[in-house]
Amino acid sequence: MRYLRYILLSFVCMMLTFPLRAEKAAVADTVVSAGDVVADEQAESDVDISEVIFGHVEDSYEWHITDVGDRSIAIPLPVIVKSHNSGWQVFSSHHLEHGSYKGLYIAPEGSKYENKIVEEVDGEVVRPFDLSITKNVLSLMISSLLLLVIVLMTARWYNNHDPEKEAPAGIAGVMEPVVMMVHEMARENIGEKDFRRFSPYLCMAFLFILLNNFIGIIPFFPGGANVTGNIAVTLVLALFTFFTVHIFGSKHYYEEMFNPDVPVFLKPVMPLIEVFSAIMKPISLTIRLFANMLAGHIQILSVVCVIFIMAKYGPLLFGSMSVVSVLFGVFLDVLEMLISFIQAYVFTVLSSIYIGMAREGAHD
């Protein structure tokens, strides 16, 4: 367990230094079908359904809590940018609510940098160097801190108790079967000799993804952020697996990649195929987790929005459809919890398989 602690600390530090905000185009391409579905309903409804859906799945410079009448209650977040005109600037995002602040403003909808902080330099709209603490970044910090506390509390229980004489209780009792599941997964896919080296990373990746998936389902602060539905976050996780595979790959692995035992006429072709396959593995890990979690958020939001769409059709239809929408929403929440576990499991098991393939032949 002490190795898991060190690996987790390193992972948290590296994750917090990576630019976590994917461009809106990546999200828009994924949710374009949802926008088409709600287009007709939106025209008949007073509620901007597309704005509701995009507002929840996209990143932002504030954390919206709720609306009370015409007043929006939100938590302003720190804006940290390096302006081309005035250098480093640090201020609260509430200064940007009503327009420009120190030459910086949020780009309007339909523009090239929609919903991003921009400025004008020589008559051209450009983006400053942006290190702002956005909603996804803050959610990532909260989940990383929570995971760190859970792991350290589990390690503390094992340091103070003898598990051979006393069954784990509390958080340790919940964590033990999860850790043992990942541990056995690593043993089967990596091998008896090497699995202990990589089991801490696999366990950390599983817990990190699972925790963020669950937090994303919670509809109120500090939940609801679309962290694992952000392609930048899933890309970082996939790159960790990619570099683990290729840094610790055995000599046999690279021989099979660049000098495979195939007929001579295939030798120039096979390395290209193997390199392409190695590149596609992290891409598949990235898109699989990102697309599934983003789609789950959109489904739940779309079902909830049925209530607002039906509000103008009279109390009978509104009341009946509200009940159906709420029940179906609860069902989707439960289903999303199952999908959250499955996606964390799939990412971890594929990572262990890739690592095992790279270590194959290392014992000879």
Side-chain angles (χ1 to χ4, degrees):
M1 292 299 294
R2 69 176 185 275
Y3 297 112
L4 178 59
R5 184 188 310 179
Y6 303 145
I7 294 294
L8 178 63
L9 286 170
S10 301
F11 181 82
V12 170
C13 293
M14 296 184 71
M15 284 295 293
L16 294 181
T17 61
F18 192 89
L20 300 175
R21 299 173 299 281
E23 293 297 331
K24 180 179 179 180
V27 178
D29 290 341
T30 305
V31 302
V32 64
S33 58
D36 294 338
V37 171
V38 302
D40 294 335
E41 288 86 346
Q42 181 179 329
E44 299 293 333
S45 174
D46 295 329
V47 180
D48 190 341
I49 305 302
S50 296
E51 183 179 352
V52 172
I53 294 176
F54 276 97
H56 281 78
V57 301
E58 288 182 343
D59 204 0
S60 66
Y61 293 96
E62 64 177 15
W63 197 311
H64 182 266
I65 304 299
T66 188
D67 291 323
V68 179
D70 296 332
R71 181 184 178 187
S72 176
I73 299 177
I75 300 175
L77 300 175
V79 174
I80 307 172
V81 297
K82 185 179 182 182
S83 169
H84 294 85
N85 298 319
S86 55
W88 286 102
Q89 299 288 341
V90 181
F91 55 89
S92 173
S93 62
H94 83 270
H95 291 294
L96 300 173
E97 291 180 359
H98 305 293
S100 177
Y101 180 76
K102 296 184 178 181
L104 302 165
Y105 61 95
I106 297 179
E109 294 185 6
S111 61
K112 180 180 179 181
Y113 303 113
E114 181 177 345
N115 295 330
K116 302 296 182 182
I117 291 179
V118 296
E119 61 181 338
E120 292 188 7
V121 179
D122 298 328
E124 182 181 358
V125 177
V126 298
R127 289 198 63 192
F129 184 66
D130 194 348
L131 293 176
S132 302
I133 307 299
T134 62
K135 181 174 72 172
N136 283 350
V137 176
L138 179 60
S139 178
L140 183 58
M141 291 178 175
I142 294 172
S143 62
S144 298
L145 179 61
L146 179 59
L147 180 57
L148 183 63
V149 171
I150 292 173
V151 171
L152 293 180
M153 289 180 65
T154 303
R156 181 180 179 183
W157 188 94
Y158 278 93
N159 288 333
N160 297 331
H161 300 81
D162 185 357
E164 295 183 357
K165 299 179 180 179
E166 182 180 354
I171 293 180
V174 176
M175 291 287 288
E176 182 179 27
V178 176
V179 173
M180 292 304 299
M181 178 192 69
V182 179
H183 199 64
E184 291 302 316
M185 178 196 306
R187 184 197 301 271
E188 294 177 3
N189 295 326
I190 299 177
E192 187 68 32
K193 183 177 180 180
D194 290 330
F195 82 97
R196 294 183 184 277
R197 297 175 60 185
F198 303 100
S199 182
Y201 162 69
L202 295 172
C203 185
M204 172 274 304
F206 177 83
L207 293 173
F208 179 83
I209 296 172
L210 184 65
L211 182 61
N212 279 283
N213 288 350
F214 283 164
I215 290 177
I217 301 174
I218 301 173
F220 50 84
F221 182 84
N226 188 34
V227 174
T228 47
N230 186 312
I231 197 170
V233 176
T234 59
L235 176 61
V236 172
L237 292 168
L239 287 176
F240 268 93
T241 295
F242 176 80
F243 286 116
T244 301
V245 168
H246 292 90
I247 291 174
F248 297 99
S250 66
K251 179 180 178 181
H252 175 76
Y253 172 73
Y254 284 104
E255 286 180 351
E256 288 295 318
M257 179 180 293
F258 296 107
N259 187 28
D261 185 16
V262 296
V264 176
F265 69 92
L266 289 177
K267 282 188 177 293
V269 179
M270 291 304 297
L272 297 177
I273 296 175
E274 291 294 337
V275 170
F276 179 77
S277 175
I279 294 174
M280 290 304 297
K281 288 174 182 176
I283 294 177
S284 66
L285 288 175
T286 298
I287 296 177
R288 181 185 293 107
L289 179 58
F290 155 71
N292 278 281
M293 299 314 302
L294 181 60
H297 282 273
I298 293 173
Q299 283 182 332
I300 294 173
L301 290 169
S302 299
V303 170
V304 173
C305 285
V306 171
I307 299 174
F308 303 102
I309 295 173
M310 293 297 170
K312 64 183 298 181
Y313 292 106
L316 180 61
L317 186 59
F318 171 60
S320 59
M321 289 305 298
S322 296
V323 173
V324 173
S325 179
V326 170
L327 293 177
F328 196 50
V330 172
F331 168 76
L332 286 179
D333 275 334
V334 175
L335 181 62
E336 186 69 7
M337 292 180 64
L338 176 61
I339 294 174
S340 297
F341 179 86
I342 292 174
Q343 290 304 313
Y345 181 86
V346 168
F347 185 97
T348 309
V349 72
L350 288 177
S351 296
S352 66
I353 291 173
Y354 296 155
I355 295 172
M357 292 170 61
R359 296 297 299 169
E360 187 178 4
H363 316 306
D364 297 339

